[in-house]
Amino acid sequence: MPPHATTEPGSGRIDLVLLDVGGPVYDDRAYRDALLRAVRELAAEDGREVDEAEFQQVYDERRQAQGGSLRTAVAERFLTAQDRQRLSERAERYWEYPPSALHDDVLPTLRRLAGRYTIAIVANQRAVVVDALRRDGVADFVDVWAISEVVGAEKPDPRIFQHALREAGVDAAHAVHVGNRLDTDVRGAHRVGLRAVWVTRGEAPPNPTPEQLAEPDVAVASMAELPEALEKLQAAR
């Protein structure tokens, strides 16, 4: 594992970077499209159609609110609340990340971070996402894995963050979580004493409010900005 950036007790050093997958690494459109396909199929079974523009409106409303389940909102709007589990299971059949979904700034950023920080993946994903991360070269930089299907807990549950901290042998005070949702990533990380970097793409709000931007320790528009953001966080303490 990478050496510590500093050895000063009580410093703001960062030893561990916890990284979300959907949004920071892969384009969230992959899940959005899977969910749309699933809800259209289930609605068609009852002879109904789902308008993509109306679906997008529900999607953007959930993104802007940064709270509440997207799957529940979609089920309630286009199906019934009782169909949420069916919708979730159907969407998972189609939820995969093609190589084209990898953001261009991810591998260059990971190369900059390599050797300076321990890298963990902390994500609400199926275990098969690891195959995509290996295929696309991301896994080469990952030291610790905390995938919700394997860990048995989803963000913002503290257990998935704590799993990564234990595996890395790093205290929360010296770790930062990087994600694109306030409800699961930023608030979940803060709950266990982690600092948080908010990547405002994917399922982040279309128009973040000043109040939302004030929640994370720092907000960035892309992964390319992450190395400098981490330096600023370390210097701030």
Side-chain angles (χ1 to χ4, degrees):
M1 289 187 179
H4 292 167
T6 73
T7 56
E8 300 168 8
S11 74
R13 76 168 192 262
I14 296 169
D15 300 329
L16 173 66
V17 176
L18 289 68
L19 186 60
D20 188 17
V21 169
V25 175
Y26 287 116
D27 190 338
D28 270 333
R29 180 171 289 273
Y31 181 70
R32 178 260 185 207
D33 291 349
L35 191 62
L36 174 59
R37 180 177 176 182
V39 74
R40 279 180 156 170
E41 287 183 356
L42 292 175
E45 292 175 5
D46 295 326
R48 291 178 286 112
E49 295 183 356
V50 173
D51 178 68
E52 184 170 357
E54 187 178 359
F55 173 88
Q56 186 66 40
Q57 180 183 16
V58 175
Y59 181 70
D60 288 342
E61 286 172 354
R62 287 297 92 214
R63 289 169 63 205
Q64 192 63 47
Q66 287 295 284
S69 166
L70 173 61
R71 287 167 292 183
T72 297
V74 170
E76 290 177 346
R77 176 73 68 90
F78 302 107
L79 305 168
T80 70
Q82 289 70 39
D83 288 319
R84 181 190 186 281
Q85 187 59 34
R86 279 205 310 151
L87 174 62
S88 181
E89 292 170 357
R90 183 70 63 95
E92 285 190 357
R93 296 183 192 176
Y94 309 127
W95 184 18
E96 58 182 27
Y97 296 109
S100 60
L102 182 70
H103 285 297
D104 292 340
D105 56 8
V106 172
L107 294 180
T109 296
L110 289 175
R111 292 188 192 102
R112 292 181 63 187
L113 301 183
R116 301 176 63 190
Y117 308 100
T118 298
I119 305 294
I121 291 290
V122 180
N124 292 349
Q125 297 275 346
R126 296 173 299 157
V128 294
V129 75
V130 177
D131 295 334
L133 293 166
R134 287 177 177 147
R135 176 199 67 206
D136 296 329
V138 176
D140 295 343
F141 299 96
V142 178
D143 304 292
V144 173
W145 297 92
I147 305 296
S148 61
E149 187 177 58
V150 177
V151 175
E154 291 189 348
K155 298 175 295 182
D157 190 320
R159 291 176 295 170
I160 191 168
F161 296 104
Q162 291 164 347
H163 174 86
L165 291 169
R166 284 196 305 271
E167 290 294 306
V170 174
D171 186 83
H174 301 303
V176 171
H177 179 62
V178 181
N180 69 328
R181 290 183 62 104
L182 291 178
D183 53 350
T184 55
D185 292 307
V186 174
R187 295 168 195 157
H190 283 167
R191 196 170 297 143
V192 295
L194 295 159
R195 282 169 282 177
V197 175
W198 190 29
V199 184
T200 56
R201 65 186 180 191
E203 290 188 359
N207 299 293
T209 66
E211 292 78 14
Q212 289 173 330
L213 289 167
E215 284 199 51
D217 295 274
V218 63
V220 297
S222 70
M223 285 286 285
E225 299 174 37
L226 181 60
E228 286 73 23
L230 295 174
E231 289 295 331
K232 289 179 181 177
L233 283 176
Q234 293 191 93
R237 289 192 178 183

